[in-house]
Each structure stands twice: as structure tokens, then as C-alpha cells.
Amino acid sequence: MTNMAVTRELFDQVMVPNYAPAEMIPVRGLGARVWDQQHREYVDFAGGIAVSCLGHCHPVLVGALKEQSEKLWHVSNVLTNEPALRLASKMVEATFAEKAYFCNSGAEANEAAFKLARRYALEHFGAEKTQIIAFNQGFHGRTFFTVTVGGQAAYSDGFGPKPADIDHVDYNDIAALKAIMSDKTCAVVMEPLQGEGGIISPDLDYVKAVRELCDQHNALLIFDEVQTGVGRTGALYAYMNLGVTPDILTSAKSLGGGFPIGAMLTTSAIAASLKPGTHGSTYGGNPLACAVAEAAFDAVNTDAVLNGVKEREGWYREGLAAINAKYHCFAEVRGKGLLLGCVLNEEFKGRAKEFLNAAMAEQLMVLIAGANVVRFAPSLVISKEDITEGLARFERAVAKIVNG
Ligand SMILES: Cc1ncc(COP(=O)(O)O)c(C=O)c1O
């Protein structure tokens, strides 16, 4: 097996075709650089889709993983374990929350949040209070419940009957939310900055008004911080800069810095509705995942890293403005911290994937967020040199597209 030729063609032969990965196969990463099978080196502005918060193979994470790997890998939730308890304590200490639940992904964290909201409403207000309101273009994962709560029907169509009583309204439109909300609303689910939907920030007044409507109708406010959490926007969690506190918060992606883990945070009063046996996961809170996440959380939750995110945002914005001044292809650069989107203008509308492909040809990994936005979600500690080099490659990619 070890001598087997591992090529991109093999993907098409042996893998379920739900993904269409790039041609190159990465084999090694360090910081914000990645190398492929042919030893070509790439600058990574994608960060594994907002996951690799400390870059690739950060010594602190490697150390935590190695140390835990020689102690205890897995026990299931029949037992608890030290890394899980330490991580939960730190997350509770650093946020509004009083209780944590661990799982393995963002979708699972949201699945837990939605089930909890429904159960809490049932216990406190009766069987009629089941409506979940979410937002058009929102994204919450790919399990059937979470993808149905997500705001793109195309992702949940074609799999049979969907979970019921889920409604969607436009983001940033308080009148639309008000019109659809009632005492039957059990939860409002929002990303404090829509990621997959196109890097869209809410207005501060709007978020406050959403909170007020939730309070008025005894509905829980769930913030999906799977993409925005753990330093991505320059705050430990994005809610901290919005002046609004959710009732339930979900975290994943950067939480493990590349090791799969998800978390749901909430208050003791709400958490009480998930009694023993109501929900669970064999792997959730696994010692390896929690040990790595604890190290990542400690490293990110420092003034140096969080202020560094804001500084790096400035470097990106400066560099992107200079590129746009030459090539005039972006209508705006939006987002916060190191979750940034270059919105293509009318002339280049719908061509984000071409920019991604052109960047890859220049050995730069970027992301898209819909057809019109080129997205960056790099390591939170990416060096100035790597940003400068990556932006130089991005400029070459942009030039190729603009000049035909
Ligand atoms: C806001 C948000 N929620 C949930 C998810 C799903 O997370 P996962 O892919 O880990 O299930 C994502 C993934 O992109 C996301 O951006």
C-alpha cells in the first residue's frame, strides 16, 4: 500500500464525488506555507476554510497533540477527561457562558444548539413553540437539520421531507424579522458576520433589535460563531464587539486549529434542558481534540494575537486597495479581522472561481464565498512577509484575468 501511486485521478476512482478538489495534492504545511507532491510551495490565504488559526504545524499545537497522544486518546462520554474539563473551564471563563458541550464539527455544534432550543422551549413554554427563524444566505452545516436551517434551499432540496417549522428572512432587515416572529418562535439563529453567504456584516442597531425581539417573544438567540469564533474577527468571539450577548453560541473551525472539534456554549439555565440521555456523541470531547483545542484557545486568547489580527487586517486592506487601484475589479473589500472578502464589481460579476483558479496557478490558496466574492481566512499569526508574498501572487492572478 505504501508504494501505491497516490494521484488526483485516484480521488475520482475511490472517493464519493461530493467534492471537486483542486488538482494539486498537498503533503506538508508549515505556518502559512504548503507544499504539494511535486514540492511546489504555496502561500495559504485559505487556512483550511478559517480553521488553521495558528497556521500549519504550529509547535504549540504539535506539542499538545504529541503530549496527549502518549497519555490518553479516547474514553467516550461514559467517562469525562481532564483536557475536556480544562477546555470547558477556559471557554466558560472567557465568555458569557456557564456550560459547554463538545462535539466534532460546526454542524454538530449547531445540531446540538437547535435541539437544545427546541427542548428548552418545550419544557418552558409548551409544544407550540417550535419555530426556528434563520437568514437567507446563512450557513450552518450539512446535517439535515442544520442545512435546512441554512438559508440556501438548494443545499437541502432533494433529500426527502425536511425538518419542519423553519423560516428564513433577509439578513439585516429588522422589519422582515419582526413580521414573522411571534410567541411561537423558539429561536433565532444568526451568524454575527455571514461567511459562506458572502462576508456580510450586520448593522449594530440591527443586532440589538434582534436581541430585543428575542427577549420580547421568549425566543433564544443563537449565534453561530463557527467561522467567526476564536479570534477570527479580532475579538475572541464576534459577539464581544457587537454589544449583544447570545443565549447559545456555537464554535468549531479555529477552535481546534486543524484538529476536529466543535463546541456549544450556553447558560446553566438553558443547558439544564439537555438532561442525561437527551443528546450525545461518542467522540465529542475526545481528549486529543480537547488538548489541542485548549492549546489553540490559550494561544489565540491573548492581546498579542487578537490585536495582531487587526494589524494584519490593515496590511491586507492596504495591499488589496493597491491592487484594486491598478486593476479596478473589486466593488469593495468587506469583512472583519482576517475574514475578508473582495467583492467583484459588475464587470467581473460571477467570476470568483476564476480568481481562485488563477491564484492557485500562481501558487496561492484563496477561497470564495459565493460566485462574487474572493475570500481570505488565513492563519491569525501569518507573517507580514507571507502576506506581502501572497498579495504579490494575487496581483499576478488578478492581472491575468483583467488583461485576459
Ligand atoms: C457559520 C458556519 N456554521 C457552520 C458550519 C459548518 O461547520 P462544519 O463544516 O465543521 O460542520 C460552517 C462551515 O463552513 C460555517 O461557516
Side-chain angles (χ1 to χ4, degrees):
M1 271 311 252
T2 45
N3 291 330
M4 171 189 224
V6 180
T7 62
R8 175 60 181 76
E9 287 68 48
L10 196 55
F11 179 94
D12 298 327
Q13 286 168 32
V14 300
M15 301 289 274
V16 170
N18 61 317
Y19 301 118
E23 285 303 314
M24 74 93 158
I25 298 183
V27 293
R28 191 165 70 83
L30 190 65
R33 306 270 174 153
V34 167
W35 289 265
D36 70 10
Q37 291 174 310
Q38 286 70 38
H39 312 290
R40 272 189 303 256
E41 167 262 320
Y42 298 77
V43 175
D44 184 2
F45 280 2
I49 319 191
V51 165
S52 309
C53 57
L54 299 176
H56 297 274
C57 294
H58 192 286
V60 163
L61 301 188
V62 173
L65 184 60
K66 276 190 179 159
E67 194 186 323
Q68 187 59 39
S69 75
E70 289 170 358
K71 284 189 186 161
L72 185 69
W73 282 37
H74 178 75
V75 287
S76 92
N77 287 295
V78 170
L79 304 161
T80 188
N81 66 78
E82 291 182 355
L85 294 175
R86 278 200 304 266
L87 177 62
S89 304
K90 288 178 177 177
M91 293 183 83
V92 161
E93 168 76 26
T95 66
F96 75 96
E98 295 159 326
K99 294 279 195 282
Y101 164 83
F102 292 126
C103 49
N104 312 290
S105 66
E108 278 183 65
N110 286 325
E111 185 83 20
F114 306 160
K115 283 178 72 178
L116 172 57
R118 284 263 177 90
R119 184 57 68 97
Y120 177 82
L122 176 72
E123 283 186 357
H124 292 81
F125 304 100
E128 299 284 290
K129 195 175 176 69
T130 54
Q131 184 195 36
I132 292 177
I133 303 179
F135 297 92
N136 293 325
Q137 307 309 319
F139 188 80
H140 304 293
R142 293 286 197 156
T143 65
F144 206 21
F145 197 176
T146 58
V147 80
T148 307
V149 173
Q152 286 198 57
Y155 290 163
S156 54
D157 287 345
F159 297 102
K162 300 183 188 186
D165 210 7
I166 298 165
D167 293 304
H168 297 93
V169 292
D170 282 346
Y171 198 65
N172 254 334
D173 180 348
I174 200 65
L177 181 63
K178 200 169 180 178
I180 200 174
M181 243 176 129
S182 75
D183 289 347
K184 290 187 177 170
T185 307
C186 96
V188 173
V189 183
M190 68 183 284
E191 295 161 83
L193 185 166
Q194 283 193 330
E196 301 301 308
I199 313 295
I200 300 163
S201 297
D203 300 330
L204 288 184
D205 288 349
Y206 170 76
V207 186
K208 289 204 174 90
V210 173
R211 174 74 271 180
E212 280 162 20
L213 279 176
C214 286
D215 292 341
Q216 210 176 306
H217 293 290
N218 288 317
L220 298 182
L221 178 58
I222 302 174
F223 271 8
D224 177 343
E225 293 234 25
V226 168
Q227 190 152 164
T228 52
V230 194
R232 179 65 44 197
T233 67
L236 181 64
Y237 284 98
Y239 84 85
M240 294 170 173
N241 274 338
L242 292 177
V244 161
T245 303
D247 299 298
I248 302 178
L249 180 151
T250 55
S251 186
K253 289 193 183 276
S254 285
L255 181 59
F259 202 101
I261 184 168
M264 175 185 72
L265 302 177
T266 189
T267 63
S268 297
I270 297 168
S273 290
L274 283 190
K275 297 179 179 60
T278 50
H279 190 60
S281 150
T282 299
Y283 275 127
N286 166 287
L288 284 177
C290 289
V292 177
E294 184 193 357
F297 195 80
D298 280 346
V300 170
N301 192 19
T302 59
D303 286 345
V305 170
L306 296 175
N307 292 334
V309 169
K310 292 168 208 155
E311 193 178 21
R312 285 161 176 77
E313 174 184 358
W315 297 338
Y316 268 101
R317 285 188 179 277
E318 232 171 77
L320 291 168
I323 292 173
N324 205 29
K326 271 198 210 163
Y327 298 98
H328 312 286
C329 45
F330 310 134
E332 62 172 318
V333 176
R334 67 191 179 199
K336 199 160 172 54
L338 289 175
L339 185 53
L340 296 171
C342 303
V343 185
L344 300 177
N345 63 19
E346 265 318 299
E347 200 184 334
F348 297 93
K349 208 169 176 184
R351 293 173 64 185
K353 193 72 201 279
E354 276 179 57
F355 283 76
L356 179 149
N357 290 338
M360 192 60 119
E362 297 298 329
Q363 294 171 217
L364 171 70
M365 293 152 65
V366 302
L367 300 164
I368 58 175
N372 294 324
V373 178
V374 181
R375 172 173 42 151
F376 304 122
S379 157
L380 305 183
V381 295
I382 185 171
S383 68
K384 188 164 194 186
E385 186 196 351
D386 286 342
I387 294 176
T388 305
E389 175 57 27
L391 286 174
R393 294 180 192 193
F394 190 55
E395 177 166 349
R396 291 202 290 275
V398 167
K400 275 200 184 140
I401 290 179
V402 172
N403 299 331

